[in-house]
Amino acid sequence: MLDRFLKALYLTHGEKLFVLAYAAVIATTAGMSVLIMSGVEGPAAIGPDTSLYVFWVIFAGATGGGIALFAARGWMGNLGVLGFARAFVGAIAVAFLASLIAGTMIYPLYGTFYAPVILLTEMIAKPWLAVAWFIILMGAHYMMIAITEERAFGYGRAASHRHATSRLSTLSRAQLYHRK
């Protein structure tokens, strides 16, 4: 029982980098949402008496970033120049989806429409914000390459569950399929 639990907790190198990529994107979107919303709401938005609204903005930004990266994960982690180009498009898609989701969570109707526009205007007004976003997303792309290579070579968790017979007991495999 403990062995199964410890095996479930074990992460391969690629899986660790995959989790780290998600954590980086989630932290970045949470920070950017607070930064952008403090610019929209004014300097008094985040003051010494931090309200639940600030925590909700952080939560909405983090949730939006995690869901957006999950939705656009097919664009990330591919090798070569084409993989880099796909990751660049994926970074734009993640930014759009994250702003859409976070905006909907912060202001349910207006945020859905205005959050992508506000994000674009903030990235134009503060180019360092756009550069930081693309650096983080290209880093996430680079980290996701490791899990793509692991899966291609047959390493990791998915390698032991390739065949339906691997889920059978040793006795059943020996009797039914003449395999160990």
Side-chain angles (χ1 to χ4, degrees):
M1 180 75 171
L2 182 63
D3 185 44
R4 285 182 73 187
F5 179 71
L6 291 177
K7 190 174 183 179
L9 287 180
Y10 173 74
L11 294 176
T12 63
H13 178 68
E15 291 168 339
K16 287 177 187 174
L17 288 176
F18 190 76
V19 169
L20 186 62
Y22 266 88
V25 171
I26 287 171
T28 302
T29 54
M32 284 179 65
S33 65
V34 169
L35 181 72
I36 290 171
M37 286 306 295
S38 67
V40 169
E41 297 288 328
I46 301 173
D49 55 336
T50 305
S51 65
L52 289 176
Y53 175 73
V54 175
F55 293 118
W56 179 251
V57 168
I58 293 169
F59 176 75
T63 304
I67 293 172
L69 185 59
F70 180 77
R73 71 189 180 279
W75 292 91
M76 309 298 248
N78 297 316
L79 294 170
V81 176
L82 185 60
F84 180 78
R86 287 176 54 97
F88 190 80
V89 172
I92 295 169
V94 170
F96 176 74
L97 287 172
S99 66
L100 195 70
I101 294 166
T104 302
M105 289 177 73
I106 295 170
Y107 293 120
L109 186 59
Y110 295 115
T112 306
F113 299 108
Y114 292 124
V117 175
I118 291 172
L119 177 69
L120 182 65
T121 56
E122 285 292 322
M123 285 189 172
I124 291 172
K126 300 173 186 164
W128 62 268
L129 197 62
V131 169
W133 175 257
F134 282 104
I135 287 173
I136 294 293
L137 264 291
M138 289 304 121
H141 161 69
Y142 178 73
M143 287 187 267
M144 288 179 169
I145 288 174
I147 199 163
T148 304
E149 288 177 342
E150 275 185 4
R151 289 178 180 162
F153 289 126
Y155 299 136
R157 280 177 223 261
S160 63
H161 299 295
R162 276 197 193 171
H163 306 289
T165 58
S166 66
R167 296 185 184 258
L168 297 174
S169 69
T170 308
L171 182 62
S172 296
R173 282 184 287 190
Q175 295 296 320
L176 298 174
Y177 299 103
H178 305 292
R179 295 181 184 156
K180 288 189 175 189

